[in-house]
């Protein structure tokens, strides 16, 4: 298919100007227009009899003859009211009101019209507030359609898009690609041919038909996603080239004996999962999920210990230097009793220290490297890298993760995240990962108490902060934007100036935000860590990585701006010491955010909060980042369409187990699609 033949400008009804407007919507080709599906339909098929108008929610249709015209014009405002009678001779009113409706002077008694709009019931009968109308010929019987609604732009209306699609429909349908869903599966699910599905989406006869087509497309998207995941899993299972480690008797007891506390049940279970994985010659690919403070570091340490006992090296990669440094600091005391040293590999490290570390890693003398992206650089080599641990894995790209793994040969991989992902989503987003969950906090924590407070009581909040500072604690004030003028929100700079000059004039106040130079950021943070600041005004840069046990209060301004999961993450910055900690969520007086924020005041369970956040906001970024590399979902929604996903996953399992290279003729469409995606292409050509 040469680009010129497929060009959007080649379609009937598309001149150069319209072609440009289509291109602005990302529709360059006829094929792209074919795939530009309507997101809903307006049902203009049946007029409602006047006597029944006003009973349905949303817009309604009516057809009738004009019996009287009342019109007024006040400057640009037009008010046109038509008295109408429908075919049953029942009266209703069609009303236009607003600027530039361009209907003034258009109507006369005796005309026959179709009108559509929201209906109000008035004293004088139903009133249609017209959004669409059409003139009908005298005695013309009304024949309405199901009208597709396309995402439009300011200059290219859905109506124009629809008209172009309609005019070129058979030409567009000739471009329908090979179906990615094998025919047998498609039939068993009661789907039509792909060509018929596109027809039903763009020009449906009934809403049921359109809905069916939509489901069919969604199934197709999910099938590609799930097949890619199955291929990855199958490849791992096939290669069998990982180090199959041996768990020496008594190792767990030896590890526990060196700890100042007992493992939680969840830690015990996770360690068992991981050790079990590592005894297989199939490389582990496991996600360890657990809230901040649930004790992931310790579980990672157990994996490192097993590797080291088998003469295998480990590497732990974290997204920032602060996080990597914290990991190194937490791991060292856990591993030292077992004679395992930690080699740090950071970007900012002096060259001599780096050379020494890489030397020990290259020779195999050192068992563990902890670092940032710096681990990925050339010159960081390992002798026998067999375990890769990736912290906050969603913050690394597919390619970066692969690069670290490539430094070993089929290493076992443990991903860690403190971002709790709802259980329903883990199944689909992480289809090729096994999952262990730390859903139990170590004992002896004082839970953080959380309040939601209206901003008119902000001064009271600050009094509370002051009282806690008087007790020797430190506080965060979290603010959504850095500078004034970005939306109508409190800015970090302004609030910092105000607090320093006025509210907390006698306290030591610092300012931290993302636009500070890295050195200044570090400097402020270090002062806060050392206790030289009482109050830190900060943007969400404090979200990850900062561990200051003496910080006991956090006030979050404009809390309505954040997702629940993000607020939960932020809140994890306090409550890390022995003292009771507080989180105060401040929201605007006029906002009705109470209900949403209230979830945080009663729950500290990250999974419950994530589940709730998902329900309220949809999978959004969460799904977006995790899916990258698995093909994109255009129509499908992992939450709403979860049942379809499950069916697609079952189908994918059957496909891949029966035909791991997708070589069969009925899998050609699916194979072609996956071959077009770089992340899955390799899976199909490896043996
Ligand atoms: P995460 O990495 O999941 O945020 P950490 O591994 O940093 O959590 O653990 C948080 C704190 O809890 C650390 O100070 C750690 O020493 C402590 N901790 C971990 N496991 C336990 C346990 N089983 N009992 C008591 N304290 C624990
Ligand atoms: Mg941690």
């Amino acid at each position: 298919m040469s680009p010129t033949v497929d060009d959007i400008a080649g379609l009937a009804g598309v001149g150069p100007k319209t072609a440009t407007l289509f291109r602005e919507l990302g529709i360059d080709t006829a094929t792209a227009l074919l795939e530009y599906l309507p997101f809903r339909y307006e049902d203009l098929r049946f007029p409602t009899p006047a006597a029944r108008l006003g009973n349905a929610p949303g817009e309604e249709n009516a057809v009738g003859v004009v019996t009287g015209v009342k019109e007024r014009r006040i400057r640009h405002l037009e008010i046109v009211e038509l008295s109408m009678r429908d075919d049953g001779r029942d009266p209703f009113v069609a009303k236009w009101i607003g600027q530039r409706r361009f209907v003034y002077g258009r109507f006369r008694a005796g005309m026959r019209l179709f009108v559509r709009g929201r209906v109000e019931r008035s004293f004088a009968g139903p009133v249609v507030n017209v959004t669409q109308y059409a003139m009908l010929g005298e005695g013309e019987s009304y024949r309405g359609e199901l009208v597709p609604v396309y995402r439009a732009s300011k200059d290219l209306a859905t109506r124009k898009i629809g008209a172009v699609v309609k005019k070129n429909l058979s030409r567009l349908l000739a471009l329908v690609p090979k179906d990615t869903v094998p025919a047998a599966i498609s039939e068993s699910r009661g789907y039509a041919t792909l060509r018929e599905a596109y027809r039903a989406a763009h020009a449906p006869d009934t809403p049921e038909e359109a809905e069916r087509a939509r489901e069919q497309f969604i199934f197709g998207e999910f099938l590609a996603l799930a097949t890619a995941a199955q291929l990855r899993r199958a490849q791992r299972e096939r290669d069998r080239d990982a180090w199959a480690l041996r768990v020496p008797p008594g190792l767990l007891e030896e590890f526990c004996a060196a700890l100042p506390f007992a493992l939680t049940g969840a830690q015990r279970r996770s360690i068992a999962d991981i050790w079990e994985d590592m005894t297989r010659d199939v490389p582990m690919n496991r996600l360890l999920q657990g809230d901040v403070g649930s004790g992931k570091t310790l579980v990672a340490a157990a994996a490192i210990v097993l590797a080291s006992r088998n003469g295998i090296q480990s590497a732990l990669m974290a997204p920032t230097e602060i996080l990597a440094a914290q990991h190194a600091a937490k791991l060292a005391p856990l591993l030292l009793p077992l004679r395992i040293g930690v080699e740090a590999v950071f970007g900012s490290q002096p060259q001599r220290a780096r050379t020494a570390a890489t030397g020990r890693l290259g020779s195999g003398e050192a068992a563990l490297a902890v670092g940032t992206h710096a681990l990925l650089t050339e010159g960081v080599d390992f002798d026998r890298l067999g375990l890769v641990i990736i912290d906050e894995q969603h913050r690394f790209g597919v390619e970066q993760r692969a690069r670290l793994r490539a430094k070993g040969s089929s290493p076992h991989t443990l991903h860690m995240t403190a971002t709790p992902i709802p259980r329903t989503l883990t199944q689909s987003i992480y289809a090729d990962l096994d999952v262990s969950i730390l859903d139990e906090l170590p004992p002896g924590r004082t839970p953080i108490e959380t309040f939601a407070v209206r901003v008119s009581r902000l001064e009271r909040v600050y009094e509370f902060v002051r009282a806690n500072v008087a007790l020797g604690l430190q506080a965060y004030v979290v603010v959504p934007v850095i500078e004034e003028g970005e939306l109508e929100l409190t800015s970090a700079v302004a609030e910092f100036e105000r607090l320093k000059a006025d509210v907390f004039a006698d306290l030591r106040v610092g300012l931290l935000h993302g636009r500070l130079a890295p050195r200044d950021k570090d400097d402020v943070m270090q002062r806060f860590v050392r206790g030289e600041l009482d109050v830190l005004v900060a943007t969400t840069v404090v979200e990850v990585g900062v561990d200051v046990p003496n910080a006991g209060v956090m006030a979050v301004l404009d809390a309505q701006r954040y997702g629940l999961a993000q607020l939960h993450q932020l809140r994890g910055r306090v409550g890390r010491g022995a003292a009771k900690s507080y989180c105060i969520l401040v929201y605007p007086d006029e906002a009705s955010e109470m209900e949403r924020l209230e979830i945080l005041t009663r729950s500290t369970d990250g999974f419950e909060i994530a589940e709730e956040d998902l329900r309220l906001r949809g999978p959004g970024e969460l799904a977006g980042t995790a899916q990258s590399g698995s093909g994109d979902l255009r129509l499908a929604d992992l939450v709403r369409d979860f049942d379809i996903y499950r069916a697609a996953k079952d189908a994918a399992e059957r496909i891949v187990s029966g035909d791991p290279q997708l070589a069969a003729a009925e899998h050609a469409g699916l194979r072609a699609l996956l071959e077009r995606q770089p992340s899955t292409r390799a899976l199909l050509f490896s043996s």
Side-chain angles (χ1 to χ4, degrees):
M1 200 189 315
S2 84
T4 43
V5 173
D6 194 26
D7 197 89
I8 188 76
L11 293 176
V14 182
K17 215 175 123 211
T18 313
T20 307
L21 297 175
F22 269 113
R23 290 201 182 94
E24 281 168 13
L25 276 177
I27 308 169
D28 291 332
T29 61
T31 306
L33 182 59
L34 171 75
E35 285 167 3
Y36 198 75
L37 299 176
F39 64 92
R40 67 180 177 89
Y41 301 87
E42 281 185 345
D43 193 346
L44 307 190
R45 290 174 304 163
F46 314 108
T48 306
R52 282 203 272 119
L53 280 172
N55 289 327
E59 301 200 330
E60 293 178 79
N61 311 314
V63 170
V65 174
V66 179
T67 57
V69 179
K70 257 198 320 198
E71 359 182 59
R72 276 187 299 154
R73 221 177 207 167
I74 308 162
R75 294 201 191 150
H76 293 296
L77 194 69
E78 297 179 358
I79 305 170
V80 174
E81 280 179 89
L82 305 180
S83 305
M84 312 267 304
R85 272 186 198 285
D86 75 355
D87 297 346
R89 310 215 39 82
D90 287 318
F92 66 97
V93 172
K95 180 173 175 181
W96 288 256
I97 177 163
Q99 305 207 348
R100 299 173 208 283
R101 301 298 302 268
F102 304 116
V103 288
Y104 187 95
R106 229 173 233 213
F107 304 113
R108 264 166 278 294
M111 283 178 166
R112 202 170 141 73
L113 299 180
F114 158 82
V115 292
R116 176 177 171 83
R118 236 170 240 287
V119 179
E120 275 164 44
R121 288 215 267 194
S122 83
F123 203 59
V127 178
V128 181
N129 292 292
V130 181
T131 55
Q132 288 183 53
Y133 73 97
M135 309 258 195
L136 301 172
E138 203 179 326
E140 179 183 337
S141 67
Y142 172 73
R143 283 182 45 224
E145 291 182 343
L146 211 50
V147 177
V149 181
Y150 296 89
R151 196 168 53 76
S153 64
K154 193 161 74 40
D155 301 312
L156 189 62
T158 169
R159 231 184 258 217
K160 175 67 184 169
I161 300 171
V164 171
V165 169
K166 200 167 180 177
K167 206 177 251 178
N168 294 279
L169 191 61
S170 58
R171 197 165 151 192
L172 295 181
L173 291 177
L175 298 169
V176 169
K178 211 168 167 47
D179 198 349
T180 55
V181 181
I185 294 174
S186 191
E187 268 162 42
S188 75
R189 292 193 57 81
Y191 297 147
T193 61
L194 195 56
R195 188 189 153 98
E196 175 54 19
Y198 274 106
R199 200 277 306 151
H202 284 296
D205 294 324
T206 64
E208 293 73 31
E209 192 180 82
E211 186 46 43
R212 197 91 197 118
R214 196 180 161 76
E215 186 197 311
Q216 185 171 348
F217 291 121
I218 289 171
F219 183 85
E221 288 181 0
F222 278 148
L223 187 69
L225 182 76
T227 304
Q230 282 304 319
L231 287 171
R232 277 194 289 276
R233 188 180 279 277
Q235 188 187 39
R236 273 197 297 128
E237 297 282 336
R238 199 163 51 231
D239 290 352
R240 315 207 140 261
D241 55 358
W243 313 93
L245 307 184
R246 206 179 72 83
V247 181
L251 183 61
L252 188 63
E253 290 68 24
E254 191 189 337
F255 178 65
C256 290
L259 297 175
F261 40 67
L263 297 178
T264 64
Q267 283 171 325
R268 228 169 241 287
R269 282 191 297 277
S270 300
I271 293 172
D273 290 345
I274 290 166
W275 281 10
E276 167 79 35
D277 286 356
M278 292 171 72
T279 60
R280 299 183 61 208
D281 56 5
V282 171
M284 167 170 76
N285 196 30
R286 184 171 287 276
L287 176 69
L288 178 64
Q289 273 191 291
D291 243 336
V292 167
S294 60
K296 292 184 292 297
T297 312
L298 200 145
V299 175
I304 294 162
V305 167
L306 180 65
S308 138
R309 277 305 154 90
N310 282 266
I312 297 301
Q313 291 173 295
S314 306
L316 188 158
M317 181 165 72
T320 64
E321 287 209 1
I322 297 181
L323 273 182
Q326 263 175 30
H327 276 299
K330 282 188 203 162
L331 283 168
L334 294 171
L335 296 174
L336 213 58
L338 295 133
R339 295 172 309 282
I340 301 171
V342 179
E343 295 294 344
V345 180
F346 296 167
S348 69
Q349 159 178 64
Q351 191 56 46
R352 274 182 46 203
R354 168 76 74 88
T355 311
T358 52
R360 284 190 291 266
L361 292 168
S363 71
E365 184 194 333
L368 169 66
V370 173
T372 56
H373 300 80
L375 284 168
L376 302 175
T377 48
E378 266 176 63
V380 180
D381 292 311
F382 295 82
D383 181 35
R384 284 155 67 85
L385 177 62
L387 172 65
V388 162
I389 303 173
I390 299 175
D391 189 31
E392 294 306 335
Q393 48 91 34
H394 61 278
R395 297 182 62 189
F396 292 100
V398 175
E399 200 260 341
Q400 289 174 317
R401 287 181 255 164
R403 250 166 74 203
L404 183 56
R405 280 200 302 271
K407 300 214 174 224
S409 64
S410 295
H412 295 292
T413 304
L414 179 66
H415 310 263
M416 300 202 291
T417 182
T419 309
I421 293 155
R423 283 163 227 269
T424 39
L425 273 188
T426 14
Q427 273 197 49
S428 44
I429 294 180
Y430 297 122
D432 63 331
L433 286 180
D434 299 307
V435 179
S436 295
I437 295 177
L438 292 179
D439 50 5
E440 188 184 340
L441 287 186
R445 298 275 162 84
T446 330
I448 303 165
E449 199 165 332
T450 302
F451 305 96
V453 174
R454 290 189 186 274
V455 71
S456 49
R457 299 182 52 199
L458 184 61
E459 300 313 313
R460 295 276 300 277
V461 172
Y462 286 146
E463 278 168 34
F464 182 76
V465 168
R466 173 185 291 282
N468 277 276
V469 170
L471 293 173
L473 295 172
Q474 290 164 281
Y476 294 102
V477 174
V478 178
V479 182
V481 295
I482 299 174
E483 285 176 69
E484 206 82 332
E486 300 172 67
L487 311 162
E488 298 215 324
L489 300 167
T490 315
S491 87
V493 175
E495 196 64 5
F496 167 69
E497 296 298 342
R498 187 175 85 90
L499 292 177
K500 200 171 63 149
D502 182 12
V503 184
F504 296 143
D506 53 331
L507 302 181
R508 298 163 302 172
V509 185
L511 173 65
L512 181 73
H513 60 70
R515 276 189 223 147
L516 292 179
R519 274 184 48 195
D520 297 340
K521 239 191 287 187
D522 232 46
D523 181 55
V524 174
M525 207 53 237
Q526 289 309 329
R527 277 162 56 210
F528 192 63
V529 171
R530 287 196 300 266
E532 296 165 17
L533 294 172
D534 302 308
V535 177
L536 185 64
V537 179
T539 55
T540 51
V541 289
V542 293
E543 191 174 344
V544 222
V546 190
D547 194 353
V548 182
N550 194 48
V553 188
M554 171 177 284
V556 183
L557 306 193
D558 289 308
Q560 79 284 355
R561 293 284 297 167
Y562 304 92
L564 295 180
Q566 196 184 7
L567 287 170
H568 178 66
Q569 289 272 62
L570 271 171
R571 170 169 74 174
R573 297 302 112 214
V574 295
R576 304 181 69 91
K580 176 158 175 101
S581 294
Y582 301 90
C583 175
I584 305 156
L585 306 171
V586 182
Y587 63 99
D589 288 349
E590 65 275 13
S592 56
E593 299 296 327
M594 190 53 203
E595 190 205 356
R596 203 169 70 92
L597 297 179
E598 202 255 336
I599 295 158
L600 288 166
T601 66
R602 66 178 155 72
S603 176
T604 50
D605 175 344
F607 287 99
E608 185 187 345
I609 290 162
E611 208 69 69
E612 203 59 32
D613 209 22
L614 179 68
R615 196 175 61 74
L616 294 167
R617 308 203 313 165
E621 290 164 43
L622 199 60
T625 36
Q627 269 160 28
S628 60
S630 313
D632 53 345
L633 300 179
R634 298 191 318 145
L635 301 175
D637 177 316
L638 283 165
V639 179
R640 185 195 57 203
D641 307 319
F642 188 65
D643 291 338
I644 308 176
Y645 174 78
R646 217 189 304 246
K649 189 180 175 202
D650 288 347
E653 273 167 19
R654 283 195 305 274
I655 291 172
V656 173
S657 70
D659 180 16
Q661 290 292 300
L662 305 184
E666 72 261 31
H667 300 147
L670 192 53
R671 184 185 167 102
L673 174 73
L674 295 175
E675 273 177 5
R676 281 203 298 277
Q677 299 170 1
S679 59
T680 44
R681 185 188 305 135
L683 296 169
L684 290 163
F685 287 104
S686 61
S687 51

